[in-house]
Amino acid sequence: MADEVDLAARIDELSARVRELEAVRELTKLRNAFHHCLNSRDWQGLGALFTKDAHLDYGSFGDARGRAAIQEYYSALLPKMVELQGASEVALRNFNQVHQVEVEGDDRASGACFFVEHVRFDRADLVHQSVGRFSDTYVFEDGRWLFERVELEHYWVVPQNKEWRWPW
């Protein structure tokens, strides 16, 4: 009889581990979808990755609250960058590097994602590289994981042109 109890406990333990691994996999897909939408300028798709009342915090670059406001934030971001730099066009590619996730029960999780971003304006002297981290809070809602909060921390934003040189 003791073996049956141990077997049932072991099945429960393994089931919990499988649920956690499935959550981590889905959260990694969510983070990858974020970068894909950002790079392809799919603002509607990007907004759909957030909860209805999510919070986006880009520090000195601004913030937005709510799915609709987040979608509007991203749709206005690149035109603002172009205007600020006195350019006509911008190409942006954001690459996620490492995604760390901590599952907190069945419906909450937190994570961090490091990134490298290349921004090239249509002026040859305007190429920037930024490196930083996204800190995320996730919730499981309506059968899927969504961003509840995304916070951006830039480690550095540097021009990458003929005047700028690496020190090594």
Side-chain angles (χ1 to χ4, degrees):
M1 193 60 130
D3 288 341
E4 289 177 18
V5 173
D6 291 341
L7 182 58
R10 183 69 175 147
I11 289 172
D12 288 345
E13 176 191 331
L14 290 172
S15 295
R17 290 176 65 189
V18 167
R19 280 192 305 276
E20 181 178 356
L21 290 170
E22 287 174 343
V24 169
R25 184 171 186 267
E26 290 304 311
L27 290 163
T28 299
K29 285 181 179 180
L30 176 67
R31 179 36 79 185
N32 288 338
F34 175 96
H35 295 275
H36 174 75
C37 289
L38 184 61
N39 289 337
S40 62
R41 300 180 187 202
D42 178 3
W43 311 131
Q44 186 173 356
L46 190 59
L49 302 176
F50 289 83
T51 63
K52 202 173 188 179
D53 59 348
H55 182 209
L56 177 74
D57 182 359
Y58 269 29
S60 63
F61 294 97
D63 72 331
R65 291 183 185 272
R67 181 182 292 146
I70 290 169
Q71 186 174 323
E72 176 59 32
Y73 175 89
Y74 281 113
S75 68
L77 183 62
L78 296 182
K80 284 180 185 176
M81 290 171 63
V82 166
E83 181 182 337
L84 182 66
Q85 295 296 330
S88 300
E89 186 60 44
V90 63
L92 176 139
R93 290 294 181 261
N94 188 287
F95 304 96
N96 57 332
Q97 302 295 314
V98 175
H99 186 224
Q100 302 166 331
V101 176
E102 185 67 37
V103 177
E104 301 156 3
D106 291 335
D107 64 351
R108 302 211 42 93
S110 59
C113 175
F114 300 90
F115 71 90
V116 173
E117 182 174 71
H118 299 276
V119 181
R120 178 177 294 277
F121 295 91
D122 60 344
R123 292 178 35 202
D125 61 330
L126 288 176
V127 179
H128 293 89
Q129 181 185 58
S130 64
V131 175
R133 178 180 70 176
F134 288 105
S135 297
D136 306 325
T137 303
Y138 316 99
V139 294
F140 191 77
E141 191 173 272
D142 297 327
R144 66 187 188 126
W145 287 98
L146 297 168
F147 291 103
E148 181 179 58
R149 179 179 175 89
V150 172
E151 189 174 338
L152 171 70
E153 177 186 3
H154 270 114
Y155 294 152
W156 64 75
V157 178
V158 294
Q160 194 172 4
N161 55 36
K162 63 184 177 187
E163 290 86 27
W164 187 80
R165 301 278 188 257
W166 286 101
W168 53 87

